[in-house]
Amino acid sequence: MLKNGTHRITLRPVQTELTAPAGTALRDLLFAQGVEFPCGGQGRCRGCRVHVLEGATAINDAQRERLTADELAQGWRLACQCALEDDLVIELRQWDAAILVDETPFAFTPRPGLGVAVDVGTTTLVAQLLDLSTGRVQAVRTALNAQARFGADVMSRVQFGVPSAGAQQLGDMIRRQIGSLIEQLVFSAHIAESEIVDVVLVGNTVMHHLFCGLDVEPLSRYPFESEHLGLQSLDAADLGWKLSPRARVRFLPCLGGFVGSDILAGILATNLGEREDLNGLVDLGTNGEIVMGNRQRLLCASTAAGPAFEGARISMGMRASTGTISEVKVEDRTVHCRVLGNVPPQGLCGSGLVDAVAAGLELGRIQSSGRFNNGAASWELAAPVILTQSDIRELQLAKGAIAAGIRMLLARLGARPENLKKLYLAGAFGNYINRASAQRIGLINFPAEKVEAAGNTALLGAKLALFCPEGEDGSFLQLRQRTEHVALNADQGFQDTFVEEMAFPETGTGC
Ligand code: FES
């Protein structure tokens, strides 16, 4: 143990060292490092298995149920079930060669050299270095997107970027930052830059345009469409990156105005376009992006959900970090809050907000209209953190937009909710959201067993694109042509559906 009751954690094979207070959930630490928790940390899927090489972690019932006695004796643990109680050396086997898509190893053709996959998120950046001959991850680097100082959401970046000097500044910033992440990958994996032969980047349409130096002005006004959604092949030297001139750098193409290449990557990662059954993929963010369909037909859309899922415009909202209430549960009619980092509560993140409102509905504190009972103005969850009437309103706007978008796409496909086999939730929020709470508030109107956290599908799709035969000409043209973009705003029925979906269900239901 280090000073002040903190522990050191060493991650292999990436050789990252972290420190955190005793009692911190391993899930909170590892998620920030790009580790995925496929069942959302419920202890049900084994997807978060780690090999503890040094140090002790307690074994609970969920681990006894999911891991064999041999595995436990060898030091295998479910990271989502462990809290930090010792210095640890952990091997992250999730990043071994098997690149998984729906439990099926992805049949990649090994190639010589190294590749880099980058998820260019509005808030966070994740870059992984892969050995293309084995598919194994050699190093990972994550960072907060430096552009965030010019606005938390994509629309504020667009506004800053409409004058070309602003776009230039944002573009330079993100290109420099990703170049630096690649340098760090090279340094930590002890390789030469010349060994990197391929870089694939994915992101939403605004990130795509800013990174590639494309005009974002068309994205600032109705109908929010750009003519430059296609694949962008770039020259490493032009980007200021110290890679070999032979290295291929591609920002994958977008699918529509606000449906970016992160969603195209998500289709690759979930294999949505190759299946007979009807499945959906939803990325819950300021701009909710939705894809639904099967091998016959794919529809995609984006819907302005507002920033509630990211904890923004919430009176005590904050990003998921130390001091955030990330889970709220009701037991014996008493509210229990889980706080990240084992410290006193300071605020509420998106998943905590969804739980809190679900708890309020269950306890009868919140009506289906969204109003507090007895005209209360706020509800203290865990001092000093409160939930206010306007917080509930923000969540209603966000969940109404997503639920309406899903309903509209299903209707266009001529399908009913019960026809849907699985709904995959992409990204960090999808990983942490409690599915029962999402169902209780009417965000996801499907039974919990049909809803699956899919992890960082954007990054997984970018990795697959490094090997993907369809992308060999660089364009993913067939997939783009097959995916119809639906402009929900232009649909007369959308506003009515949105208003209907803003109300909370009287009781938890699902089809
Ligand atoms: S068992 Fe830990 S994420 Fe599923």
Side-chain angles (χ1 to χ4, degrees), residues 36-48 78-81:
E36 287 161 17
F37 291 84
C39 72
Q42 310 277 316
R44 290 201 306 247
C45 71
R46 288 169 50 98
C48 64
L78 299 180
C80 68
Q81 300 296 309

Side-chain angles (χ1 to χ4, degrees), residues 190-201:
H190 308 291
I191 57 137
E193 273 128 353
S194 58
E195 292 177 70
I196 295 177
V197 296
D198 209 343
V199 180
V200 168
L201 304 111

Side-chain angles (χ1 to χ4, degrees), residues 449-461:
E449 63 274 13
K450 283 196 174 188
V451 182
E452 197 167 303
N456 188 342
T457 51
L459 185 66
L460 177 54

Side-chain angles (χ1 to χ4, degrees), residues 314-331:
I314 300 302
S315 51
M316 296 197 68
M318 58 191 282
R319 269 174 45 75
S321 58
T322 302
T324 313
I325 295 178
S326 64
E327 282 176 41
V328 180
K329 281 193 175 141
V330 178
E331 276 166 17

Side-chain angles (χ1 to χ4, degrees), residues 34-294:
V35 172
E36 287 161 17
F37 291 84
C39 72
Q42 310 277 316
R44 290 201 306 247
C45 71
R46 288 169 50 98
C48 64
R49 271 179 314 152
V50 293
H51 198 188
V52 178
L53 302 176
E54 289 173 30
T57 49
I59 301 168
N60 63 4
D61 287 346
Q63 295 184 79
R64 275 189 210 96
E65 212 172 289
R66 298 284 161 196
L67 299 169
T68 65
D70 274 356
E71 285 176 317
L72 289 168
Q74 287 163 14
W76 288 96
R77 297 288 183 271
L78 299 180
C80 68
Q81 300 296 309
C82 296
L84 200 55
E85 54 192 79
D86 197 0
D87 290 353
L88 297 176
V89 177
I90 293 175
E91 195 171 26
L92 297 169
R93 299 300 287 272
Q94 192 178 82
W95 293 336
D96 271 6
I99 296 175
L100 297 180
V101 179
D102 191 33
E103 305 288 304
T104 311
F106 178 72
F108 64 88
T109 310
R111 306 168 46 192
L114 298 169
V116 177
V118 190
D119 171 23
V120 189
T122 312
T123 311
T124 52
L125 309 174
V126 188
Q128 288 192 341
L129 177 73
L130 269 83
D131 181 334
L132 298 176
S133 65
T134 64
R136 189 174 172 136
V137 176
Q138 302 283 298
V140 185
R141 281 292 177 273
T142 59
L144 290 176
N145 187 330
Q147 295 175 339
R149 78 188 70 150
F150 298 103
D153 55 66
V154 284
M155 279 327 280
S156 40
R157 308 281 170 87
V158 169
Q159 274 145 22
F160 189 84
V162 169
S164 59
Q168 178 81 37
Q169 192 177 350
L170 291 176
D172 286 348
M173 187 177 277
I174 193 69
R175 291 188 286 268
R176 245 195 331 269
Q177 197 183 10
I178 293 170
S180 154
L181 287 180
I182 294 174
E183 281 173 25
Q184 292 170 41
L185 291 174
V186 165
F187 180 77
S188 71
H190 308 291
I191 57 137
E193 273 128 353
S194 58
E195 292 177 70
I196 295 177
V197 296
D198 209 343
V199 180
V200 168
L201 304 111
V202 298
N204 61 49
T205 311
V206 177
M207 293 303 114
H208 169 272
H209 276 43
L210 289 171
F211 182 94
C212 301
L214 300 167
D215 184 11
V216 291
E217 194 276 332
L219 299 173
S220 70
R221 57 179 165 79
Y222 187 81
F224 305 103
E225 293 292 351
S226 164
E227 286 174 8
H228 304 289
L229 298 174
L231 176 119
Q232 297 289 318
S233 291
L234 302 134
D235 191 295
D238 291 344
L239 296 168
W241 295 355
K242 296 183 212 133
L243 299 182
S244 148
R246 285 175 291 113
R248 189 159 70 144
V249 181
R250 292 172 289 160
F251 207 121
L252 296 194
C254 303
L255 295 169
F258 277 105
V259 186
S261 53
D262 48 351
I263 292 299
L264 179 134
I267 297 174
L268 294 177
T270 53
N271 219 11
L272 217 69
E274 302 305 321
R275 301 199 197 176
E276 268 316 317
D277 303 307
L278 178 67
N279 292 284
L281 172 71
V282 178
D283 193 343
L284 297 163
T286 314
N287 258 300
E289 293 164 296
I290 306 166
V291 189
M292 310 212 96
N294 54 19

